[in-house]
Amino acid sequence: MSFEGKEKVDVSNSTVTSAEAPRDQYYVANEALVDPEESKTLHRGLTARQISMIALGGAVGTGLIIGSGTALVHGGPLGLFLGYSFVGFVCYLVMVALGEMSAYLPHKKGFPGYATRFVDPAFGFALGWNYLMKYVVVTPNNVNAAGVVIQYWTQKVHIAVWMVFCVNMLGIRVFGELEFWFSSIKVVTLIGLLLMGIIIDLGGNPRHDRIGFRYWDRPYGPMGTYLKDQVHNEHLAIFLGFWSTLTNALFAFIGTELIGVTVGEAQAPRKNIPIAIRRTFFRILVFYVGGVFVIGLIVPSTDQSLFVANKSKAGAAASPFVVATTLAGIKVLNHIINAAILLFVLSAANSDLYIGTRTLYALAAQGQAPKIFARVNRMGVPYPALIFCTCFCGLVFLNVSSSSAKVFGWFVNLVSTFGAITWMCICYTHIRFMKALKAQGLSRDALPYKAPFQPWGSWFALVATTIITIFKGFDTFIPFTKDTFVTSYIGIPAFALFYGGYKLAYRSALIPSDKVDLVTGKREIDEEEERFNQEQAARGPRTWWQKLWEDM
């Protein structure tokens, strides 16, 4: 592919069109940076209310309701709280970094598109396929959890795979509204579980036992001693317990970044994306950090039933909330919590399948995947991509036998590695974006949304996530186990293979900061958003009820 012209673009001139943007050796083909016409691409039908709930639905699932039990056993109540708080702060830095890029250029190619544009086409290619691999694994992970939860009541084969497929085929407006209600019920349930935990802790239980911070004292806490029998050092065991909570928390928080994929279907994205990011993060922070704090109050980290639960398949029996109700002597509530878990995992699977299809669509739209996956139906649903991603839900049947249950547990390791790599790539892309703005004379103060704590915030999140990822599989060496080692780290060489393979095939280069294309496609998005704002203004002032509904 040849490019002509070497002159520098005046990116401060937002009226430059796609056709006028120069082409040289550093530019990606500019046609690939422009979103296709509306009839051939995704539809902008998501409001801020729906976007924030889709992100919440995808992020809040088994990581909190089930996975927190393992972290409690390993790190103790204080280690659990500190670990989730630290990773929550890192998650916030990743979210605001993504929000700054998304608000400036809300295109329909997700954050792999930002990596292609601001860093290197090979980097965007590797990030896109890495993210796709995460979602073709995490969707059957949640569908499997749904099946196990249903088996709590019946052993009949469930139809969760077909349910999430059909919901995703209904079009973005219907999907967004259904997922909003799924996640709204999830929020109410989480609030109920938090209140239940506080009431149990304060003595509002059948035994009238005021627990307080009893489980934060010895012999229950405040810190766990993970692998003490292997390392023969209490202080080292305490540190390993805390570090283990970081890896559990990373798996739990991964998924919040999916807002970066929804920008292509967001109404008035420059206004709604920053709003959605703020809402999503604070909701998740309250539920996760607040949730693990309550769990640490009402469940002793040394409880044998909690430990056994984490050895079994995912389901109500593995939830620390169920353990809490059992210890408090509350009956019947286990069925209610089981139903809540079913809703949690189906909502998460619904969001995960949505994101997987949009990621594959974005890759195809940039020419980094077969073009057939860029096709959409009249409702804007990329149905070939949806069918492809749904096929991987067949992996759920690996859990038919007990040995396959162990294989399925490997998927959790894969998801956390793919997700961590995604976070690192988002941070580095944002660092390159800020350098490009500075090199081309643009002030971040003029952006639609300016991320706080920058540029140090993105650097901190990049370094922290890298360290956690490198050492996340430390327990596979104590003693060494081949299966968990491979699933904990295979994502790293896979990313390197995608990156290096694209480099060798297309000879792409790291784009210099002064050559980064900050213009192409921007005017088209500006005009599209202006038309939407005019349509909204033509409808007249909103009632207080409409404002309340849209601000939820």
Side-chain angles (χ1 to χ4, degrees), residues 307-320:
F307 182 76
V308 172
N310 288 308
K311 293 285 187 180
S312 64
K313 296 180 181 179
S319 173

Side-chain angles (χ1 to χ4, degrees), residues 172-252:
I172 191 58
R173 291 182 183 275
V174 177
F175 166 83
E177 201 60 37
L178 284 175
E179 186 57 29
F180 170 78
W181 286 108
F182 274 152
S183 296
S184 296
I185 298 172
K186 179 184 291 189
V187 169
V188 173
T189 304
L190 282 171
I191 293 173
L193 289 174
L194 293 178
L195 291 176
M196 178 199 75
I198 294 173
I199 293 171
I200 290 175
D201 183 69
L202 295 177
N205 54 70
R207 297 191 174 99
H208 303 291
D209 179 19
R210 186 182 178 91
I211 301 171
F213 282 86
R214 179 189 309 163
Y215 297 142
W216 285 53
D217 295 327
R218 288 184 178 274
Y220 311 108
M223 303 292 289
T225 53
Y226 184 42
L227 298 175
K228 183 179 179 180
D229 294 338
Q230 285 77 17
V231 300
H232 308 294
N233 185 308
E234 184 175 0
H235 296 292
L236 178 58
I238 290 174
F239 173 76
L240 293 178
F242 168 71
W243 194 265
S244 178
T245 67
L246 296 181
T247 60
N248 280 278
L250 181 65
F251 171 74

Side-chain angles (χ1 to χ4, degrees), residues 157-179:
V157 178
H158 63 92
I159 56 171
V161 172
W162 306 114
M163 193 207 76
V164 295
F165 173 80
C166 293
V167 169
N168 271 270
M169 278 296 291
L170 293 176
I172 191 58
R173 291 182 183 275
V174 177
F175 166 83
E177 201 60 37
L178 284 175
E179 186 57 29

Side-chain angles (χ1 to χ4, degrees), residues 26 78 80 215 221 225 245 252 283 287 290 342 362 365 443 452 465 503 537 552:
Y26 298 110
L78 179 58
L80 175 68
Y215 297 142
T225 53
T245 67
R283 286 171 181 172
F287 290 134
L342 176 61
S443 172
T465 308
K503 279 278 191 184
M552 288 179 64

Side-chain angles (χ1 to χ4, degrees), residues 90-91 93-95 97 101 111 115 119 123 127 130-131 250 254 257 416-432 457-472 488-489 491-492 495:
V90 173
C91 174
L93 296 176
V94 175
M95 292 278 284
M101 295 185 292
F111 39 77
V119 184
F123 194 70
L127 172 57
N130 171 83
Y131 202 57
L250 181 65
I254 283 172
E257 77 287 336
S416 59
T417 304
F418 292 144
I421 292 173
T422 300
W423 280 16
M424 289 185 279
C425 291
I426 291 173
C427 292
Y428 183 66
T429 302
H430 183 241
I431 291 168
R432 296 284 303 173
S458 289
W459 277 111
F460 178 82
L462 174 60
V463 172
T465 308
T466 301
I467 294 173
I468 295 174
T469 304
I470 292 174
F471 296 103
K472 66 183 287 291
S488 293
Y489 292 107
I492 298 174
F495 181 86

Side-chain angles (χ1 to χ4, degrees), residues 522-538:
K522 184 174 180 295
R523 180 177 179 179
E524 288 81 356
I525 295 173
D526 291 340
E527 292 174 347
E528 185 178 12
E529 186 159 18
E530 181 61 29
R531 286 194 299 270
F532 175 80
N533 291 335
Q534 290 174 357
E535 291 173 0
Q536 293 297 104

Side-chain angles (χ1 to χ4, degrees), residues 115-116 120-127 368 495 498-500 502-503 508-509:
T116 297
D120 178 4
F123 194 70
F125 175 82
L127 172 57
Q368 296 176 344
F495 181 86
F498 283 126
Y499 182 76
Y502 191 96
K503 279 278 191 184
S508 65

